Amino acid sequence: MAEIAKVFVSPVLDALSGNLKESALQEIKSIWGFGVEEELEKLESTVTFIQDVVEDAEEKQVSSKAVRKWLGKLKNIAYDADDLFDDVATEARRSSLMCEIQPSKRQKVVHSISSFSSSNNPLLYKRGIARKMREIRERFDVVANELRYLNLHKTDGGRPLQRETSSFIDESHVIGRQVDKDKIIQLLVSSSSSDDDKLYTVIPIVGMGGLGKTTLAQFVYNDQRVKTHFGLRAWACVSDDFNLLQITKALIESAGSKCDLSYLDAAQRHLEEKLNGQKFLVVLDDVWGENQFHTHWDCLLAPFGVGAKGSKIIMTTRDERVARTMATIPSHDLQGLPDDDCWELFTRRAFAGRISNAHPELEEIGRQIVKKCNGLPLAVKTLGGNMSSKRNVSEWESILTSEIWKDDKSDILPALRLSYRYLPTNRKQCFAYSAAFPKDHEFEKDVLVRQWMAAGFIQPKGSTLLEDIGAEIFDDLLLKSFFQYSHHYHRETSLYVMHDLMHDLAESISGDECFRMEHGTSRTIPEMAHHLSWIDIKEGSMSLEALKKFKRLRTLRLKAPSSIDNQILNDALMELRCLRVLDLSGSAINKLPDLIGHLKHLRYLNVSGTEIRWLPESVTSLCNLQTLGLGFGSLEGLAKGITNLVNLRHIALVYGRWDSISVPGIGKLTSLQTLEQFKGCKESGCQIGELKNMNIKGRLQITGLEDVQNIEEAKEANLKDKKYLNELSLEWVRDDSSQDGRVNDDGVLKGLQPHANLKNLGIISYGGVSFPSWMSHLSNLTHLTVQDCRNCEQVSLQDLTSLQDLGISNCPRLKSLGYGEGGLPTTLKSLQIDGCPNLESTPTRLENLTSLVELSIATQLPLFSKESALPMTIQDITIVSCDNLKSLPKGMQSLTSLSYLVINSCPQLFSLFPDDKNNEYGLPTSLVRLFVLNCKNLKSLPNRMQNLTSLKSLAISYCPEISSLPEGGLPTTLEYLFIIECPKLTERCQKNSGQDWPKILHIPNIDCR
């Protein structure tokens, strides 16, 4: 049964209520006249009255068609009111901009802006606004009067029936989770030195709803090892209605005593008597919101201090923030069940475990059904139960393609909706917006937050930036498992996804509000749609012309792989006057219509990945625009008046550069937070001082520093005050052989001192001999890159106490890292040195770098001194072009974390280790990948390689002197063997005929040529 499309209007009303209180509208009250002030006051009163009952209406709409229809009418009016207020605010901004422009330039700008404005006659415009205000208020009055027939009541956020759990479980019904169970039990029964300082340890189990947190806790609670280890065990279900007395009484009764006490004090004293001197295990199941729980946490645990050391508390929660707040050790993050376990669980429900040969025709369909559950046990069990009475292929195929996932009569979405129900309103709206994206869509945090801002979901809160409020909302949704980390990372940017069932929940919540038109979609766009994604629609499908009738659209995300007719797009945009978000990225479009300037509500415009070469001048009339997305190198120029977009906050580049684009006067964009790249030059309006008043956040790459004349000009950039700048790249561009500017470079770099909050610094093609003293003040710096600094002789590092990643390349005069007596910072995780032939040695005391994970050396310096060793934490070692390397050092076999070793182009390397009669040399058994490349004099591989029991991949390339494999052969774990351009070895490894073939025939993947 398909679920009735619901209408949720409370987020829109909340935003409208916020707008009614904005200072801009309050100012309008006092200066506009024509009845506007009176209408606004009446409207504010009516909206407040409706807000009191709208939550009740949203609950009752499932059973009442009249309520659902009333909510739809209310939502349309609220959106129309929001558009009207935005019209007013836009006119105010336009007027303000006109006042700020110099008289000599005003006429030209006025023509540009007013050609897309309906307010050429201010008097008529004000009267028109007053009339529209009255009409809006009257429409609100009508829906308010209809409330008397709908039996709606003011709500206090009432709660549904509380979930209750117990400690009992039939272990024969539990599938999988053995590894999770053993890990938790190990934490419960083992003791560590840190436990000596704690009265008890709190172990959180964290995961989304339906993942099996309670089942795992029950599985652990009833294990015989746990029963034996703890003298007392107790279980309480906390749920979202946190009641201290009820929880305390539940623990007492679970521990074996009757409790009919009515007061918390008496109940806690009783619990204290039960726990006194006992090594106890307490399970607090289904813990919710961190604010409420944190308030009562200390009080709840007050009786627990009398227990014996080694006592433990298991807490299950959907909210990672609760876990972080309460845990005394890292959380156990529960993941989805593996496919095989899901299939077994499904067959137990659907076939009572007897699928083997009874119903082979259903197995393939069943496995597809299980795959849609994405490892969520609740979904697998529910669907398995639904299939238990069905044996026809057509019935199973119907379930596979149905919307049962969104049916409230199943247990799936109601379980997930519990998490949604108690989200704050702004978080509900932001989550529901995700329904406009396709399933498995990977998104970036900043991009999504900017679209939320543009759509009006984020309301101002004091002086806090909207971006920061949005980031807080996003993080909260992530911690509560509405979003998840993706397994993919592009451009060093974290990507996120939604679990498929969370996406189904978002679709269920949004109803017709969000809609996707995809290739193969047979549904028509609903009339109530406000956020539309048009994805991969092939030619011959529904035409873009059909969009013209959806005049209420606020978001249009157009992903069209085939060519788009510019005139059709132009005509469509002409009608979509309410758009806030227009995302054309990746579409086959080569021109942005001039009529783009009519979209006066537009706040987000993304044309990255298109064939657009120029932005039209009409873009400069979009005075509400907050985000402009560009990239992929097609763009050759921006509109001349782009600096009139005074509300522009983000110029987002996607795989793009500004090398061929200059923006004279970009410093006027004082709201700009994201610029990413700035190319300075000597021309007026393009000098580095344009950055002075910008509050840049995140990343900034400054090129063209060779054109900066001196320290005074450099200081004009005011980098020192940009406290939100995290990543800074300073680049000079000059011919490799040029030494011009060396004297200037010292002063320029000194004047470009960043704020102490900086975390990532890159200095490229700097011509100075040393670095300025301000580098030692960057106490928060975690990443430092020094590249192509041909005159640099020393890099000072001793004061960089947070440094984690150091990369130095192509600095031919570098002699010292200036690391002082104490060595490199002990926080260092990655060290990469390349093309520094005069660097006398690597730092001594490498063994003190107890955080070092990655070491890459590509230079001719002595690799290891006699006094130095490598830290036990090292995981990856890459050695390239070390002409003086004759062997690897002693102690390599003790590097038990080492998994990746590359040795490339080391001509003096004859053997990886010298003759080793005392077994002092060797590789660690932890090694997973070993690559030996271009070592032309290497004669043999090390003995005892068969003992490398973790090795999976071995590559030997361009090592012509290696004549055979080790006598003991290769490990049985090896999965991939590559032998390339090693003629002697290749001959011995020929299939079936080579002398070494028996040593490798067990390897499944061999490439020998």
Side-chain angles (χ1 to χ4, degrees), residues 738-753:
S738 172
Q739 299 299 315
D740 294 342
R742 170 176 167 177
V743 175
N744 286 346
D745 286 4
D746 291 326
V748 169
L749 186 57
K750 186 176 181 180
L752 293 173
Q753 177 178 353

Side-chain angles (χ1 to χ4, degrees), residues 184-191 225-226 229-230 279 312:
I184 298 293
I185 291 177
Q186 179 65 24
L187 292 173
L188 292 176
V189 302
S190 63
S191 60
R225 291 169 289 177
V226 173
H229 186 76
F230 294 99
K279 183 185 288 186
K312 301 292 196 299

Side-chain angles (χ1 to χ4, degrees), residues 332-527:
H332 182 84
D333 294 321
L334 196 59
Q335 305 299 317
L337 275 180
D339 289 345
D340 290 343
D341 290 338
C342 284
W343 177 241
E344 183 179 352
L345 181 60
F346 180 82
T347 57
R348 285 195 181 187
R349 293 298 183 107
F351 301 100
R354 298 189 297 271
I355 192 173
S356 52
N357 296 312
H359 305 282
E361 72 281 4
L362 300 180
E363 180 168 346
E364 182 180 352
I365 304 172
R367 288 188 179 276
Q368 292 181 59
I369 292 174
V370 168
K371 190 172 183 180
K372 290 184 73 171
C373 296
N374 270 14
L376 200 69
L378 174 64
V380 175
K381 289 192 295 184
T382 300
L383 291 172
N386 287 338
M387 308 310 295
S388 61
S389 61
K390 305 180 191 304
R391 291 294 178 266
N392 294 329
V393 170
S394 60
E395 290 179 304
W396 280 53
E397 288 178 338
S398 175
I399 292 295
L400 177 62
T401 57
S402 75
E403 301 293 309
I404 190 174
W405 328 88
K406 303 171 189 175
D407 191 347
D408 278 337
K409 291 185 178 180
S410 78
D411 292 330
I412 304 171
L413 285 191
L416 299 180
R417 191 175 279 117
L418 280 174
S419 298
Y420 170 84
R421 181 183 175 95
Y422 297 112
L423 286 174
T425 300
N426 58 355
R427 283 154 173 75
K428 288 181 177 179
Q429 192 174 29
C430 290
F431 169 70
Y433 184 74
S434 306
F437 296 101
K439 283 188 175 180
D440 300 321
H441 172 73
E442 293 180 319
F443 50 89
E444 296 178 30
K445 174 180 177 178
D446 290 344
V447 172
L448 187 56
V449 167
R450 291 166 193 169
Q451 291 188 11
W452 288 345
M453 289 168 49
F457 300 159
I458 301 176
Q459 299 304 309
K461 186 167 61 177
S463 60
T464 307
L465 293 172
L466 292 178
E467 289 81 359
D468 292 340
I469 299 172
E472 180 183 335
I473 293 172
F474 185 97
D475 291 342
D476 194 34
L477 292 173
L478 178 66
L479 291 172
K480 288 179 168 66
S481 301
F482 290 96
F483 299 147
Q484 300 175 347
Y485 288 102
S486 169
H487 296 297
H488 304 106
Y489 293 88
H490 301 159
R491 296 174 281 122
E492 298 183 351
T493 298
S494 294
L495 298 174
Y496 303 85
V497 295
M498 295 178 69
H499 190 286
D500 280 358
L501 294 177
M502 278 296 184
H503 192 280
D504 290 337
L505 175 63
E507 289 186 329
S508 169
I509 295 301
S510 69
D512 290 340
E513 178 81 358
C514 300
F515 189 82
R516 297 186 315 279
M517 176 63 69
E518 300 173 276
H519 181 59
T521 300
S522 58
R523 295 184 299 160
T524 57
I525 302 174
E527 184 180 347

Side-chain angles (χ1 to χ4, degrees), residues 436-438 441-442 447 451 516-519 532-539 544 547 555-564 569 581-589 604-610 632 654:
F437 296 101
H441 172 73
E442 293 180 319
V447 172
Q451 291 188 11
R516 297 186 315 279
M517 176 63 69
E518 300 173 276
H519 181 59
L532 173 67
S533 291
W534 184 289
I535 304 168
D536 293 338
I537 303 298
K538 302 294 189 290
E539 198 169 338
L544 277 174
L547 290 177
T555 297
L556 176 60
R557 189 176 293 106
L558 188 62
K559 307 285 183 180
S562 56
S563 180
I564 298 175
L569 179 61
V581 176
L582 178 59
D583 186 356
L584 301 173
S585 60
S587 293
I589 178 174
Y604 182 99
L605 174 63
N606 188 354
V607 295
S608 64
T610 67
F632 283 104
V654 182

Side-chain angles (χ1 to χ4, degrees), residues 211-355:
L211 202 52
K213 301 180 294 296
T214 298
T215 300
L216 176 58
Q218 292 167 332
F219 204 14
V220 167
Y221 188 89
N222 290 284
D223 187 272
Q224 190 58 48
R225 291 169 289 177
V226 173
K227 292 179 179 179
T228 302
H229 186 76
F230 294 99
L232 182 146
R233 296 175 302 132
W235 179 289
C237 181
V238 176
S239 198
D240 61 313
D241 184 17
F242 193 98
N243 186 308
L244 266 175
L245 177 60
Q246 293 303 320
I247 295 168
T248 304
K249 290 172 67 174
L251 291 173
I252 293 170
E253 294 184 353
S254 178
S257 296
K258 186 177 180 181
C259 182
D260 55 4
L261 300 170
S262 301
Y263 297 98
L264 179 62
D265 181 72
Q268 287 198 315
R269 290 186 185 281
H270 191 167
L271 179 60
E272 186 177 54
E273 292 173 4
K274 296 288 297 182
L275 299 178
N276 188 27
Q278 296 275 6
K279 183 185 288 186
F280 62 77
L281 169 64
V282 167
V283 174
L284 298 175
D285 187 38
D286 200 23
V287 178
W288 284 66
E290 77 279 1
N291 292 330
Q292 184 184 30
F293 190 56
H294 187 269
T295 302
H296 301 295
W297 175 247
D298 290 339
C299 185
L300 173 65
L301 297 187
F304 288 39
V306 299
K309 286 188 176 180
S311 296
K312 301 292 196 299
I313 299 172
I314 292 176
M315 176 175 68
T316 73
T317 180
R318 305 180 183 202
D319 193 332
E320 189 175 337
R321 188 166 288 148
V322 169
R324 289 180 181 177
T325 304
M326 312 307 172
T328 59
I329 63 173
S331 303
H332 182 84
D333 294 321
L334 196 59
Q335 305 299 317
L337 275 180
D339 289 345
D340 290 343
D341 290 338
C342 284
W343 177 241
E344 183 179 352
L345 181 60
F346 180 82
T347 57
R348 285 195 181 187
R349 293 298 183 107
F351 301 100
R354 298 189 297 271
I355 192 173

